[in-house]
Amino acid sequence: VQLQASGGGLVQPGGSLRLSCAAASGSPFNIRRMGWYRRAPGKQRELVAEINSGGSTSYADSVKGRFTISRDSAKNTVYLQMSSLQAEDTAVYYCNVEGWRPGGPFGSWGQGTQVTVSS
């Protein structure tokens, strides 16, 4: 299952961005969980937000109330709406999808999209 992420860019503090990540494959698959991670310079990768097949969501404490994860099941796409962005949100953001396909479970990563918050 391949993931295509988009939506990163340069934004001023207090601004907003929306990231998208679409999953596609030549064979059938079912998604169990979709998530967004980020890696800031000099820091370890951290889980930002995730959403499961039932629609339940969870967020890192640092983004609660500012970021919203959502999904379009028909399009196999996950979104991350980011608001009130801060310099500390600057990072490469990666989407991650886990699920099942003929032959067993899978886990895939997107290529990463840069988010830079700066004035």
Side-chain angles (χ1 to χ4, degrees):
V1 177
Q2 292 78 45
L3 305 183
Q4 182 65 48
S6 61
L10 173 64
V11 63
Q12 293 186 341
S16 300
L17 280 176
R18 189 176 83 152
L19 306 182
S20 301
C21 178
S25 174
S27 58
F29 62 95
N30 291 306
I31 294 174
R32 177 184 68 84
R33 169 191 169 277
M34 308 178 90
W36 287 96
Y37 292 75
R38 68 185 180 186
R39 176 171 285 161
K43 296 185 178 181
Q44 291 186 333
R45 184 179 64 194
E46 64 171 341
L47 176 62
V48 176
E50 60 183 342
I51 183 168
N52 65 21
S53 57
S56 296
T57 59
S58 64
Y59 298 89
D61 288 342
S62 59
V63 307
K64 283 181 181 177
R66 300 188 298 119
F67 290 11
T68 301
I69 189 170
S70 62
R71 64 192 174 104
D72 184 332
S73 297
K75 296 181 179 180
N76 292 320
T77 299
V78 61
Y79 305 96
L80 186 68
Q81 178 66 48
M82 305 183 292
S83 302
S84 301
L85 283 162
Q86 307 165 357
E88 294 73 26
D89 297 315
T90 295
V92 178
Y93 285 70
Y94 300 88
C95 57
N96 171 254
V97 173
E98 298 175 352
W100 296 272
R101 59 183 175 182
F106 75 90
S108 298
W109 289 91
Q111 80 276 20
T113 184
Q114 176 71 46
V115 172
T116 302
V117 184
S118 176
S119 56

